[in-house]
Amino acid sequence: MKKYELVLGNAKRCGNRTLYRIRCLESFSSVKKGDLGGYIENESNLSHDGDCWVFGNAVVSDNAKVFGNAWVLNNAWVFNNAKVFDNAWVYGNAWVFDNAKVYDNASVSDFAMVNGSASVFGNAMVYDNAVVYGGAWVYGNAKVYGNAMVYDNAWVYGGAWVYGNAKVYGNATVYGNALVYGKAMVFGCTKVYGTSHIYGNAMLFEEAQVFHNASVFGCAMISNYARVCGSAKVFGDALVYGNSLVYGNAEVFGKAVLSGHDRVYGNARVSSKVNK
């Protein structure tokens, strides 16, 4: 049985598309019989099953599909081959397009965009001006917001947050309760997890790992299998690479350079190049 109809006399043009406002035929959830909804291009865009609905001035077009109990609200736009389903919400001025998927209890809002083959699911939230694209996954209780970008094949999950102007890309993973923010960049096959913080203009790449309660900030760079863990801090213009390890309560800062198999631990403080 149909739960809505197209209001043919209330169509509007959008580029080469003709969009039709929908009218509810049978009350369900918070939608009442006779209520006008948002706009769709054709009935394949919005399922007649479940409690899914398009509200306000929101648009679902092209081959995009909204089904399950998903809601698209406000001025949001879901288009191309995108799918929004389960209990997901897309609202504000958000765009979900290309082959992107938003599902489970996830939400995309404000001016955020999810595109490419990206997936946002679980209880994840993408909002503000954030962008998730490529083959990226954002899931669990993760949040991506501000002007942050997560793309390529990066994963952000668990209770991790990526925000500010931070970028996570390549095959990087950020998870646990880790925070990546400021103008930090995490890429390559890098892993950031635990309760670690990456911020400022810090860069992590080439299979570096930062975990436990460690912090990397300032203009520090961690790369080439280097690890920073425990409650260690690497900051300033420090460079840690190779198979170097910084752990415990150690601090590496200033113009320090660690390479090869250097180890800095305990309460050590290193502010210059380590002499072999």
Side-chain angles (χ1 to χ4, degrees), residues 93-133:
N93 292 283
W95 284 12
V96 179
F97 58 103
D98 291 334
N99 294 297
K101 296 178 182 178
V102 181
Y103 57 101
D104 288 337
N105 295 300
S107 65
V108 180
S109 60
D110 298 326
F111 290 89
M113 292 197 298
V114 179
N115 60 289
S117 297
S119 293
V120 179
F121 56 102
N123 295 303
M125 299 172 67
V126 180
Y127 56 100
D128 287 339
N129 295 295
V131 182
V132 178
Y133 66 99

Side-chain angles (χ1 to χ4, degrees), residues 59-70:
V59 174
V60 182
S61 63
D62 301 321
N63 295 309
K65 297 185 184 302
V66 176
F67 55 99
N69 297 312

Side-chain angles (χ1 to χ4, degrees), residues 251-257 269-273:
E251 294 186 358
V252 177
F253 59 100
K255 299 289 185 180
V257 178
R269 289 169 56 86
V270 177
S271 60
S272 61
K273 183 177 174 65

Side-chain angles (χ1 to χ4, degrees), residues 8 11 32 40-41 59 92 96 106 109 120 132 151 163 172 175 178 192 198 203 214 220-221:
L8 300 181
K32 305 304 179 186
I40 65 174
E41 190 169 357
V59 174
V96 179
S109 60
V120 179
V132 178
Y151 55 102
Y163 59 100
Y175 57 102
V192 179
I198 313 298
M203 292 178 60
M221 295 174 59

